[in-house]
Amino acid sequence: MTPTDAGALHGSEAVAVEAERRWAIVVIAIISLLIATMVFTSLHWASMPPSRVETVDPRNLHVSGEFVESNLGTMLDADGKVVVRLIAQRYAFEPQCLVVPAGVPVTFRATSTDAVHGFVVDRTNANVMLIPGFIATFTATFDKSGERLMPCHEYCGTGHQAMWGRVQVIAADEFRAKAKDGARVSCVPR
Ligand code: CUA
């Protein structure tokens, strides 16, 4: 091997090392980007309510839109679906007493005016967080008539333990009679 050959060999080794270093940087950059994307999306989703399809301005719930007082309670909508609208605020649900038909899917639409509240109806899969600014929507079917409790299960302040309501499950025919002509049904004493 002549000295010039050895020099050329050293030169190509340097080129190879340089190329490997560049690729290592590219690979590290790709992996870092993937990890950053994973961390960002999981934190972003974890900090959002599960069904964040609809938003609402919590400051004017009482003034306009579907959560005005006269629109709260249970109703039969135009295509025969049973819809319950309620709001949670420190430290009560409004209405405090819901009426729903037995054996019929009931769609709940609910939100909060102030803090994060929890909504659960015992012995059902109705269990959701009510978050200001978001409308929680879910559907539940109550198979038997009777009374259920509806406590707030998310610590929302000093009055949290006193925040609960009731759900009266009644026969579907009885419900239809009460809800005719677009009436909003509830069992809040007047
Ligand atoms: Cu509302 Cu706890």
Side-chain angles (χ1 to χ4, degrees):
M1 205 185 273
T2 64
T4 20
D5 284 346
L9 213 60
H10 269 289
S12 60
E13 194 184 317
V15 167
V17 166
E18 181 54 29
E20 266 182 43
R21 205 179 62 83
R22 270 202 309 273
W23 279 111
I25 291 171
V26 170
V27 168
I28 290 169
I30 291 172
I31 292 173
S32 311
L33 185 70
L34 289 176
I35 292 173
T37 311
M38 262 155 38
V39 169
F40 174 77
T41 49
S42 42
L43 289 180
H44 181 69
W45 282 95
S47 66
M48 287 290 171
S51 53
R52 55 197 187 88
V53 267
E54 284 176 83
T55 56
V56 67
D57 186 349
R59 288 165 304 180
N60 53 29
L61 283 182
H62 297 285
V63 186
S64 62
E66 67 169 294
F67 292 100
V68 293
E69 196 178 351
S70 58
N71 204 35
L72 298 177
T74 316
M75 63 166 296
L76 268 174
D77 74 7
D79 46 1
K81 272 203 316 193
V82 182
V83 182
V84 179
R85 287 189 182 82
L86 76 150
I87 56 180
Q89 53 194 336
R90 293 187 178 118
Y91 293 101
F93 293 102
E94 201 178 318
Q96 274 287 78
C97 184
L98 303 177
V99 176
V100 296
V104 178
V106 177
T107 300
F108 286 81
R109 293 177 60 77
T111 188
S112 162
T113 61
D114 42 34
V116 175
H117 297 278
F119 175 87
V120 65
V121 182
D122 74 324
R123 286 171 290 148
T124 69
N125 65 347
N127 183 342
V128 75
M129 276 161 81
L130 306 179
I131 299 168
F134 294 95
I135 301 175
T137 316
F138 63 95
T139 302
T141 305
F142 300 84
D143 45 349
K144 272 200 242 80
S145 23
E147 192 171 277
R148 306 284 173 85
L149 293 180
M150 175 178 89
C152 173
H153 66 60
E154 196 72 49
Y155 183 76
C156 52
T158 50
H160 163 72
Q161 79 281 1
M163 181 171 175
W164 59 279
R166 257 190 287 257
V167 180
Q168 276 181 9
V169 187
I170 62 174
D173 296 345
E174 197 187 333
F175 174 80
R176 241 173 269 125
K178 281 182 192 250
K180 67 170 193 295
D181 305 325
R184 305 299 188 261
V185 183
S186 83
C187 39
V188 175
R190 280 166 216 272

